[in-house]
Amino acid sequence: MPSASQRAQLGLSVEAVAEHAARRDGAPSGTTCALSREVAGRTRGGEAWAAQRSVAVAVIIRPPWTPEEADLTWVLAAVAGARALSGIGISNSECQWPDVLTIKEHEVGRSYAKAFLGPGVIDFAVLSVRFDLDAVESQSHVGLTELEQSAVKELNRAAHLAEDYAISEIRHDFIGLCSTLGQTLEIDLKPKGYVRGTVVDLAPNGGIVVESSTAMREIVSVDALRRLKPLSV
């Protein structure tokens, strides 16, 4: 399996390393970065990443997408994380939109995405995956190096899909790996409010389509999401 293009023992966060490479060095799409230890790793919403033993890998992508399609970066990152687990033989690995990675419904990691915009385009984006090694090892026997290399491989694949504007393949991957589809949820929104309904589809822009009990449909974006809460049917 491939190794990361850039690897360091210590850094602020894997996203910061990748962003620096993209901005300062003009690193091309597909450049991957890995850190053994992050000083201030963060997940969606600014939540601190608290795992003592972890794998953290990021990739730079330069997709031919509009800013309205930025949520697709979250879809790509989540799929890459789930595929990284299944790619080394871990069964029942899935993702929950937009960023939770699971094995047998137990959370073992998080994905993350941030798009940096230019005039009417996405200049570049950074996708990342983080795995809590203790959580992964509680579900399956796997080594750090093996998991990191699998993450690098899948994030590279994500970069190629983005470059090729392979939306149908991205959608196919997501539908096959996302456990959020078909769930009935209460979705708390920013700055306030909520939506209740069943997640029935992935929207073209990367959000989720939620259908209410009255058959009304609404698209929820990552930026609008505060939290998801499962509801009993």
Side-chain angles (χ1 to χ4, degrees):
M1 287 190 182
S3 298
S5 307
Q6 300 183 20
R7 199 181 195 295
Q9 292 299 311
L10 179 67
L12 181 65
S13 72
V14 74
E15 294 88 5
V17 172
E19 181 183 348
H20 183 275
R23 286 189 185 278
R24 300 291 180 87
D25 304 331
S29 183
T31 299
T32 50
C33 307
L35 282 179
S36 296
R37 182 184 169 200
E38 298 178 289
V39 175
R42 301 281 174 180
T43 60
R44 187 180 64 84
E47 180 182 349
W49 176 251
Q52 296 299 307
R53 299 171 60 241
S54 64
V55 168
V57 183
V59 69
I60 298 164
I61 67 171
R62 297 186 182 274
W65 299 349
T66 66
E68 290 74 25
E69 296 170 305
D71 278 359
L72 286 170
T73 59
W74 286 90
V75 174
L76 270 175
V79 166
R83 284 179 58 95
L85 294 168
S86 62
I88 52 176
I90 300 177
S91 59
N92 299 308
S93 55
E94 295 178 313
C95 57
Q96 298 173 5
W97 184 89
D99 65 333
V100 179
L101 306 173
T102 64
I103 300 174
K104 300 175 184 175
E105 299 183 355
H106 295 278
E107 181 177 335
V108 298
R110 293 289 184 96
S111 55
Y112 185 82
K114 185 174 182 180
F116 298 85
L117 306 182
V121 298
I122 295 176
D123 185 20
F124 71 92
V126 173
L127 315 181
S128 64
V129 294
R130 288 180 174 84
F131 297 103
D132 181 334
L133 278 174
D134 290 332
V136 173
E137 289 171 355
S138 72
Q139 301 296 321
S140 178
H141 298 292
V142 63
L144 183 153
T145 301
E146 185 182 16
L147 182 53
E148 181 181 299
Q149 289 178 343
S150 186
V152 168
K153 176 184 175 182
E154 293 304 331
L155 286 169
N156 265 316
R157 176 179 179 271
H160 288 303
L161 290 175
E163 288 175 9
D164 295 341
Y165 201 72
I167 302 301
S168 60
E169 190 167 352
I170 294 169
R171 178 184 177 83
H172 178 269
D173 286 349
F174 181 79
I175 290 173
L177 290 168
C178 181
S179 60
T180 309
L181 289 170
Q183 286 191 345
T184 301
L185 305 170
E186 180 174 287
I187 304 173
D188 290 340
L189 304 175
K190 299 175 185 177
K192 60 182 180 179
Y194 65 89
V195 173
R196 286 179 177 168
T198 301
V199 181
V200 295
D201 204 355
L202 177 70
N205 66 355
I208 51 173
V209 180
V210 181
E211 184 174 275
S212 71
S213 59
T214 58
M216 296 290 291
R217 292 193 172 194
E218 182 171 346
I219 295 174
V220 177
S221 68
V222 176
D223 283 345
L225 173 66
R226 187 182 300 277
R227 66 168 184 164
L228 304 175
K229 183 171 71 175
L231 294 175
S232 57
V233 180

